[in-house]
Amino acid sequence: MGEEGTEGTVHLLCLAASSGVPLFCRSSRGGAPARQQLPFSVIGSLNGVHMFGQNLEVQLSSARTEDTTVVWKSFHDSITLIVLSSEAGTSELRLERLLQMVFGAMVLLVGLEELTNISNIERLKKELRASYGLIDSLLGDSELIGDLTQCVDCVVPPEGSLLQEALSGFAEAAGTNFASLVVSGRVVVATESWWRLGTPEAVLLPWLVGSLPPQAARDYPVYLPHGSPTVPHRLLTLTLLPGLELCLVCGPRPPLSQLDPQLLERWWQPMLDPLRACLPLGPRALPAGFPLHTDILGLLLLHLELKRCLFTVEPSGDKDPSPEQRRCVLRSFYTLVTAVHFPPEPGQQEDKAEDAAQQPQVPKACYLVSGTEEPGTGWRLVALQSGPRRLLLLLSAQSPVHGLRGLATRTLHALTPLL
């Protein structure tokens, strides 16, 4: 299994579907933004072969060369997105979901109307610049995984009930039903209405907040790609502590000035210690002292019905491989088990429901062993499906293969009350 996301280049092209005019091109190399651009002749060829297929009623969705994977996707017969990746082990599933998130980011910050009724190409190009920062963060080497899983990255605060109560009270006082606390792009607690936000905005809103430069307060116009793609809303953010932000989605009211220091102090001053306890949760996701087996190097827990996930590669920071390598391995393992072993996720591939019904056996667990040539090297990977939950573990080479399923079962049992 290749380590998805290792050193390589990703090029993202956005074109007007009818004319083939490029709207933007974004690139990343080794997870960082790159200035390298594709020649116009290559852009024209990639779009031309896709349009040629459409004229023959053939849908070209992906292609592979010796070292590059290419995925095409059209949206609303108006926008064509093309992604090329030379990253080792890149999967088509990952690139397809990347394109879905990129288009969601474009709608989030520009609105669907501007993208489906293109009257002025140059004006649209200028408006799309507002989405570059968010798109670049989706292309980059993020500590989050919601772009791939399409589930909201969450953390588990030590005193979640107290924070939930304060958040609900503050949201009511501010006159909105949509509120959340976000630390490093991950949701700590949220109101019921916030959790009911659809995909992709439920993933993209905290991702956007995590990708923006630090600021004490913001009043940011956003569209909701699923819930309100043509009518803008306002995303209000207030920094409670460095790295921890209070986020509200609302209409014309309240004005940002109404969220005065007295209102903030009333609800959040008594919560100062619980808020401080949230700050280390970004990369760790789980509260300090949560009992995990010492062999666990990383974990991904998904609740496929709630569309939430816990993702950490830092339960024990001392051991090899590095956190970056652990993220790459777990992302690659996720795409493998999702595309090959486990049944389609809720909301995904509904057209394959009949095929799934014809399968007499549905896998509940799978594992993968790396580095068996040299004892004590490499790692172990195990995935377990139980009802709406799916757990993926990255384990050290010392973990015995015969005990993988038992360890995964015990870990899932311990994590179930959290998500």
Side-chain angles (χ1 to χ4, degrees):
M1 181 182 65
E3 292 183 25
E4 182 172 302
T6 52
E7 187 74 22
T9 302
V10 179
H11 296 288
L12 173 71
L13 309 173
C14 176
L15 306 101
S18 58
S19 63
V21 174
L23 298 174
F24 65 79
C25 176
R26 309 300 295 173
S27 301
S28 75
R29 181 170 180 79
R35 293 187 175 276
Q36 182 182 358
Q37 298 290 319
L38 288 174
F40 187 77
S41 58
V42 174
I43 297 174
S45 298
L46 289 168
N47 187 53
V49 69
H50 182 254
M51 294 181 70
F52 179 77
Q54 284 184 319
N55 292 336
L56 298 176
E57 297 184 356
V58 174
Q59 185 63 45
L60 177 60
S61 59
S62 64
R64 282 185 180 271
T65 67
E66 186 176 334
D67 60 357
T68 302
T69 304
V70 186
V71 172
W72 292 261
K73 193 166 184 64
S74 293
F75 296 87
H76 299 275
D77 296 322
S78 178
I79 297 292
T80 298
L81 292 178
I82 308 171
V83 62
L84 303 83
S85 176
S86 61
E87 293 178 335
T90 294
S91 67
E92 293 175 11
L93 174 70
R94 184 243 167 171
L95 297 180
E96 288 167 1
R97 293 192 174 183
L98 172 65
L99 293 186
Q100 291 170 3
M101 282 293 166
V102 167
F103 184 74
M106 294 164 63
V107 176
L108 185 80
L109 297 174
V110 175
L112 187 62
E113 185 72 24
E114 293 292 327
L115 298 172
T116 53
N117 296 310
I118 303 174
S119 57
N120 187 318
I121 289 282
E122 294 306 315
R123 186 181 68 190
L124 179 58
K125 285 182 181 180
K126 291 179 181 178
E127 291 178 345
L128 283 171
R129 289 175 188 166
S131 65
Y132 286 179
L134 179 54
I135 290 172
D136 288 346
S137 72
L138 291 169
L139 293 177
D141 183 17
S142 174
E143 294 182 355
L144 308 178
I145 200 168
D147 61 315
L148 179 61
T149 64
Q150 299 183 330
C151 295
V152 180
D153 285 278
C154 300
V155 299
V156 181
E159 298 185 73
S161 57
L162 288 176
L163 293 174
Q164 184 72 59
E165 186 178 344
L167 180 69
S168 299
F170 179 84
E172 184 176 351
T176 180
N177 294 321
F178 299 89
S180 69
L181 281 177
V182 174
V183 59
S184 304
R186 302 162 178 86
V187 175
V188 181
V189 291
T191 59
E192 288 185 17
S193 295
W194 183 285
W195 285 128
R196 287 198 293 268
L197 289 170
T199 304
E201 52 259 36
V203 174
L204 286 172
L205 285 171
W207 194 298
L208 171 66
V209 172
S211 71
L212 292 171
Q215 206 166 334
R218 302 186 194 90
D219 191 339
Y220 214 83
V222 294
Y223 296 81
L224 304 179
H226 175 78
S228 180
T230 57
V231 178
H233 286 63
R234 294 162 63 226
L235 173 64
L236 306 183
T237 70
L238 298 158
T239 298
L240 300 181
L241 292 171
L244 179 65
E245 299 190 66
L246 174 64
C247 304
L248 309 173
V249 173
C250 54
R253 301 187 62 80
L256 188 58
S257 58
Q258 184 177 317
L259 306 178
D260 52 45
Q262 288 79 13
L263 183 63
L264 286 170
E265 189 172 322
R266 174 189 166 195
W267 289 101
W268 297 111
Q269 186 67 31
M271 295 289 110
L272 206 51
D273 287 337
L275 289 173
R276 286 196 182 111
C278 295
L279 295 178
L281 290 177
R284 198 168 62 205
L286 300 171
F290 185 84
L292 284 177
H293 196 282
T294 54
D295 286 346
I296 296 175
L297 302 178
L299 70 85
L300 170 62
L301 174 64
L302 302 121
H303 196 299
L304 301 175
E305 291 179 358
L306 297 178
K307 305 292 283 182
R308 304 177 200 172
C309 67
L310 296 172
F311 180 49
T312 180
V313 292
E314 298 188 19
S316 53
D318 308 353
K319 307 174 185 176
D320 289 330
S322 69
E324 293 77 18
Q325 289 175 305
R326 297 181 194 188
R327 278 194 293 272
C328 289
V329 171
L330 269 174
R331 288 176 71 96
S332 186
F333 187 50
Y334 170 82
T335 61
L336 174 68
V337 300
T338 301
V340 177
H341 296 299
F342 289 156
E345 298 169 9
Q348 300 286 337
Q349 299 175 309
E350 293 87 346
D351 55 330
K352 295 189 178 179
E354 293 183 6
D355 296 341
Q358 293 171 3
Q359 295 177 359
Q361 297 178 339
V362 177
K364 296 294 183 185
C366 64
Y367 69 92
L368 189 148
V369 177
S370 169
T372 52
E373 296 83 358
E374 298 179 34
T377 65
W379 49 72
R380 314 282 188 255
L381 289 153
V382 59
L384 188 66
Q385 180 90 28
S386 178
R389 293 177 178 85
R390 180 178 301 169
L391 175 67
L392 283 71
L393 293 179
L394 170 63
L395 303 160
S396 67
Q398 285 71 35
S399 192
V401 174
H402 63 81
L404 293 180
R405 184 163 184 173
L407 175 55
T409 301
R410 292 190 298 274
T411 304
L412 180 58
H413 182 73
L415 291 169
T416 293
L418 304 182
L419 186 64

